[in-house]
Each structure stands twice: as C-alpha cells, then as structure tokens.
Amino acid sequence: MELKVYKDTATAAECICDTKLELPVETEILIPDYLPQVFKIVKCIVTPVVLQKQLTAGRLTVEGYLRCTVLYQSEEDESLCQMEQKIPFTKQLEAKEGSWGPVSVLVSGETEYINCRAVNQRRIDLRGAFALSVSAAAQAQSEIITALSGAGIHQKTEQLSGSRTIGVHEKFVTAEEHITFEAPPEMILNTQCSGMVAETKLLSGKAVLKGEVLADVVYRTAPGHDLLHAECRVPFNEVLDVEGADEECSCFASAETAGCTITAGAEGEEPTISVSLLLTASVYRPVEYTAVSDAFSTEYETELTPQEIYLEQVEDVFTQQTEAVVQGRLPDENAKIIDASATVLPIEVTEQDGETVLRGRVAAHLLCINALDEIDCYDKVCEYTLPRHYPWARQDLNIRCVPVIEHVTAQKTGEETSAAVVLTVYGMVSRRIRKTVLGEVRCTQPLQRQDEAALRIYFAQEGEDLFDIAKRYAASPEEIAAANDTQTGILQQAQRLLIPSAH
C-alpha cells in the first residue's frame, strides 16, 4: 500500500537585511535674490525621506532623498531665514537569498556630522555624512507534514499556532486642510508634521486607515526673530487594497510624512496645507497548524527525517505615548530660548536583565538669542525607554517601531535648561518560535519481526506516552488502548499494559 503524505506551509518573519550605510552630504545652496543675504549660519538639519522600498532578485532597493534644511540669520536686518535642498539617493543592498513572501522595510537614520558654512553671502556649502539604517524582514516559508495515511502508518501530531502575514501594503496619499495664521507669514521657517493612525478597519480585500496629521508651522510675520506657531489637524481616510484581508485579520498601520506644502488661499479664503503621507498596512491572520512530529508503520520499516521550522506569533501591537526629557546648562549662560523643535533618532533594541527593551533618542534643537542679539542653536539629546519589556531574546523577535513627535517644549530657569519631547510610538512585536517536526517520512522494506508472540506485557510508568510504547513494539496505539481499557496519549498512572501483536 502506498504511503500518502499531506503537507501545508508555515510562515515566519525572517531578517533578510539589517545594515547601516553612509550617505555623503555634499551640495551647495544658492540664496535667490528675493531672500536676504547670509550673515550667519544658525543650524542645518538633515532628515531622510524614503520614496521607494523594493525587493527584486535578491537585492533591496531603497530610494529617496535627504532633506537639508538650513536656518540662517540675514545680514540686512538680522532676521531668521530658511533655505532647503534635496539630495537624492538610490541604494541597492544585498538581501538574504530565498523565496520570500511579504516584505516589510524600516528606514531611519541620523546625521554623523555636518559642516555648513557660508562661502559668500549668496552661497552655502554643505559637507557631511548621514548614517542610514535599513532593516528588512520577509516571510520565510517552510513545508510541514500535516497528516499521513496508508502503509500501516501511525502518527503523532502536534497543534501549532502562529500568525501568517497576508500582505504588507504601502500607498502614497495627500491630505489637505485649511490653516489659520495670526497674520500673513513673511517667511515660514519650519513645518513639523506627524502622521498618526487612529483607527484601522479590515474589509474583504481592503484596509481602511483613518487618522490625522498634526502640523506645527513656525513662521514670522515681520523682520527679526519673533516666532509664531500655527497648528492644525489634517484628517485622512484612505483605503488600501490588501488581497486576502477580511474581518478575521488584524492590522498594524503607520503614517509617515514625506513632504508638506502651504499655498495661499483665494480671495477671502485661508491658506491650505497639503501633506504627503506614506501609509503602510501590515495585515496578518492567526492560524493553526497540525504537524506530524513522529510516526511509524506496523507493516514497513520507517525512515524519519526531522526538520526545524519557525512559526511567527504576534505578541504585541501597541500605540505608546512617552516623553523624553533632558536637563543641563547651555554653553552660553545668557542665552534666551526663542523656539524649540526636535528630530527623531533611530530606536535601539537592547537586552536588560534577561528581557528585551526598546530605547529611543530625540535630538531637541533649541533656538536662542545671545547677548549680541545673534541667533544660536544648541542641540540636546533626550533619551527614553518604552515601558514595554519582552521576556524573550532579541534574536527571536521581529520589532517594527515608528516614533512620531507630538509636542516640543523648552524652558530656562536660572542657569538650568530643560527640554521635553512628547512622542507617540507605533509598534508591532512578533516572536519567532522554533519547533522540531517531521520533514520527511519513507516506508521502505516490509517489517521483519523477531518473534511471533501474540501478546506481550509491558509495565508502563506514569507520564509515558502510549504512542512511544506502541512504536517500540510496532503495534497499533488504538489496539493497545482498547485492550487495556485506557486512552491514547500520556498515561496518568503506572500500570501494566497488554501489547497485542500487530499481525
């Protein structure tokens, strides 16, 4: 009789790329005639904007640009001014070879160093380096034997649970809203936009993402450095196509801002703020597998080949608000703080006291006026630790975190300066679980028995598995259970068992 083998596919996220690369920052910025000339460089902030992440033929392509924002003080009236330059980049990274399912890619980074100087009153020269961190996880597939039949085969099965990623889908969208200024801006100096997904809903083949962008616009209405803030909430409600999604699935979603523009309104209308967003939805479904972990035949010699497989279990999906605070003295004890902003730095995953913890950093940028009425910028790095600890090793976890800044404050009391940054971190933590099951089962030559005894007696101990006893004697577990008026599985007490012959 032919042995029939039934199989299924188990999946688990596996890291296929985790690297840092250095991007050169080399460009010059020409100040147009309609802007004031440069008197002093105040600050240069470099942030990455990713436009495309694609895995093809074993190579991961990351494409985007570095946004270089330069704040300078003008020569004519000592006003605070701003210029911006984009430095495009395209990087191809080696990825682990294999046949992969859905891929999720996280890109972050921080400035290693930056030299920003005014070559003359109309030209700014930038030289530096930016450290880009790229982490990619893909769904690895493993075949598992779910059932066997024929050839006198008997099997032991195990129920396995996990999560299967249906898809990781991204979509660029634009959200718009009117914004109110106290007075018409003479110059917009900084726009910080934080995208926040408030609600996700899964329908048949669709993921509906609702949320808003918190926009904070720093501007001045006249020459000088008296700064004002205009804040608004820009709602979005978008539908992403996710094949295979339904109401039984769950979703981890994020909204990362890729750009922002402000356009003047028509006669009598307020200006409009337009925000470009990259929406990402990772959709997964809880699954149950039946896997054959052991087998034998009462008719044939049986060859078993074990294999190790990995399952993925989603352990935590969270939206965590936290605050990063730093205190200390400024280099100039007479400096007066006029404004504060912040830049998110990459989150660090570490182990502490046998647990995995998530730590982050934020660079707070403090704009100050010194005794000479000149503008300086001092950076303070704020650290935070999320109150979420995981009792598993770092290498067993797949962690995706997207921090967004909600609010930045700074104040000076006496000689001490404090800065506080309120963030919301969107995260998903899944765990790779290793299991040993059967990878291959073969029935070879007919079984040759050593004796013809019709009945044997075995003295079983508490906790023994009836399947293991039956395998030792090449007998049917069901027939042993019937002959002894007991159940298959683990024996609850020591007892004498009659072992019927398999003939």
Side-chain angles (χ1 to χ4, degrees):
M1 183 183 293
E2 181 184 0
L3 175 66
K4 295 182 179 179
V5 180
Y6 304 90
K7 294 186 176 183
D8 195 359
T9 301
T11 62
E14 182 174 340
C15 180
I16 62 171
C17 181
D18 188 6
T19 187
K20 283 187 177 181
L21 57 145
E22 185 179 278
L23 298 178
V25 180
E26 297 180 358
T27 188
E28 67 176 16
I29 300 176
L30 300 179
I31 307 298
D33 293 338
Y34 59 83
L35 288 180
Q37 295 180 349
V38 177
F39 165 69
K40 176 184 179 180
I41 300 296
V42 176
K43 181 65 179 176
C44 177
I45 300 175
V46 181
T47 54
V49 175
V50 178
L51 302 176
Q52 184 176 2
K53 299 170 284 186
Q54 187 174 8
L55 179 66
T56 306
R59 299 185 70 84
L60 178 64
T61 301
V62 179
E63 183 179 343
Y65 61 88
L66 298 178
R67 178 189 290 129
C68 304
T69 303
V70 177
L71 296 177
Y72 70 93
Q73 192 169 10
S74 68
E75 184 179 41
E76 300 168 5
D77 51 21
E78 299 183 346
S79 296
L80 185 62
C81 302
Q82 183 251 36
M83 277 295 296
E84 188 175 289
Q85 184 88 319
K86 297 177 181 179
I87 304 177
F89 66 84
T90 299
K91 290 294 181 180
Q92 287 195 332
L93 309 174
E94 294 290 339
K96 188 175 181 179
E97 294 184 359
S99 177
W100 306 112
V103 181
S104 62
V105 183
L106 281 181
V107 181
S108 59
E110 59 183 304
T111 302
E112 291 186 334
Y113 71 93
I114 191 75
N115 294 322
C116 182
R117 67 186 184 94
V119 178
N120 55 47
Q121 295 173 326
R122 288 288 174 188
R123 199 179 92 185
I124 298 173
D125 186 64
L126 292 182
R127 294 291 183 270
F130 189 88
L132 198 70
S133 300
V134 180
S135 175
Q139 291 294 305
Q141 301 179 344
S142 302
E143 275 197 339
I144 58 173
I145 299 176
T146 59
L148 301 166
S149 66
I153 201 75
H154 294 273
Q155 60 195 345
K156 180 195 289 187
T157 60
E158 182 179 355
Q159 291 299 120
L160 308 176
S161 61
S163 303
R164 183 193 297 270
T165 299
I166 302 300
V168 179
H169 292 263
E170 298 180 340
K171 181 181 181 181
F172 275 102
V173 302
T174 300
E176 294 185 346
E177 187 61 273
H178 291 296
I179 185 170
T180 302
F181 295 97
E182 290 187 16
E186 181 177 276
M187 176 168 285
I188 292 176
L189 300 167
N190 184 37
T191 302
Q192 185 153 317
C193 295
S194 301
M196 311 182 77
V197 178
E199 180 184 349
T200 62
K201 185 177 182 180
L202 297 175
L203 306 172
S204 179
K206 307 287 184 182
V208 181
L209 274 55
K210 295 182 180 180
E212 62 184 10
V213 179
L214 305 181
D216 180 18
V217 181
V218 183
Y219 66 102
R220 58 178 175 82
T221 60
H225 44 69
D226 292 331
L227 306 183
L228 299 173
H229 285 250
E231 299 180 354
C232 74
R233 296 176 179 268
V234 186
F236 62 85
N237 185 354
E238 295 291 335
V239 178
L240 279 66
D241 293 325
V242 185
E243 185 178 352
D246 57 35
E247 292 84 348
E248 301 299 321
C249 297
S250 299
C251 179
F252 167 66
S254 63
E256 299 177 74
T257 56
C260 174
T261 57
I262 297 176
T263 56
E267 185 77 25
E269 292 186 356
E270 294 179 330
T272 298
I273 182 169
S274 177
V275 183
S276 297
L277 288 169
L278 175 60
L279 300 181
T280 303
S282 299
V283 179
Y284 57 94
R285 181 195 305 277
V287 291
E288 297 286 337
Y289 304 100
T290 299
V292 177
S293 57
D294 201 357
F296 70 93
S297 172
T298 58
E299 300 175 10
Y300 295 92
E301 297 286 350
T302 309
E303 294 182 358
L304 306 178
T305 303
Q307 70 167 346
E308 285 190 344
I309 66 167
Y310 286 91
L311 304 174
E312 183 176 14
Q313 181 67 56
V314 175
E315 300 290 351
D316 193 15
V317 178
F318 62 87
T319 300
Q320 179 73 60
Q321 189 177 79
T322 188
E323 186 178 38
V325 179
V326 67
Q327 292 181 327
R329 295 187 178 185
L330 296 178
D332 183 356
E333 61 182 15
N334 297 315
K336 176 185 175 183
I337 299 174
I338 59 172
D339 200 60
S341 61
T343 303
V344 170
L345 302 177
I347 282 184
E348 181 184 12
V349 181
T350 62
E351 291 189 8
Q352 176 182 314
D353 299 328
E355 294 184 316
T356 298
V357 298
L358 307 177
R359 292 194 176 99
R361 295 173 298 132
V362 184
H365 313 297
L366 309 184
L367 286 176
C368 302
I369 295 294
N370 61 27
L372 300 176
D373 207 32
E374 294 180 0
I375 306 174
D376 294 317
C377 183
Y378 300 109
D379 288 350
K380 294 286 187 179
V381 176
C382 315
E383 298 183 350
Y384 62 92
T385 300
L386 293 182
R388 315 185 82 84
H389 295 187
Y390 305 99
W392 303 290
R394 168 67 184 94
Q395 63 267 22
D396 294 332
L397 298 178
N398 176 37
I399 299 174
R400 284 173 278 176
C401 287
V402 181
V404 296
I405 295 173
E406 288 194 48
H407 190 59
V408 183
T409 57
Q411 62 180 3
K412 187 179 179 185
T413 305
E415 295 182 349
E416 289 293 315
T417 297
S418 63
V421 182
V422 177
L423 307 98
T424 296
V425 181
Y426 295 87
M428 176 177 175
V429 178
S430 62
R431 179 166 59 104
R432 282 166 56 86
I433 304 171
R434 183 170 60 184
K435 293 288 186 178
T436 300
V437 297
L438 289 185
E440 186 177 354
V441 180
R442 293 179 62 245
C443 290
T444 57
Q445 61 188 8
L447 187 64
Q448 300 295 324
R449 297 183 179 274
Q450 300 299 319
D451 56 64
E452 299 295 332
L455 192 67
R456 299 178 180 83
I457 297 178
Y458 177 76
F459 293 93
Q461 301 299 313
E462 179 184 352
E464 285 194 79
D465 193 328
L466 196 66
F467 182 90
D468 296 334
I469 299 171
K471 183 178 180 180
R472 183 181 308 171
Y473 293 102
S476 166
E478 290 76 15
E479 291 182 6
I480 295 176
N484 294 274
D485 193 23
T486 187
Q487 301 292 322
T488 58
I490 304 299
L491 298 176
Q492 301 302 312
Q493 61 185 12
Q495 65 184 98
R496 185 183 65 178
L497 294 178
L498 301 179
I499 310 297
S501 172
H503 288 274

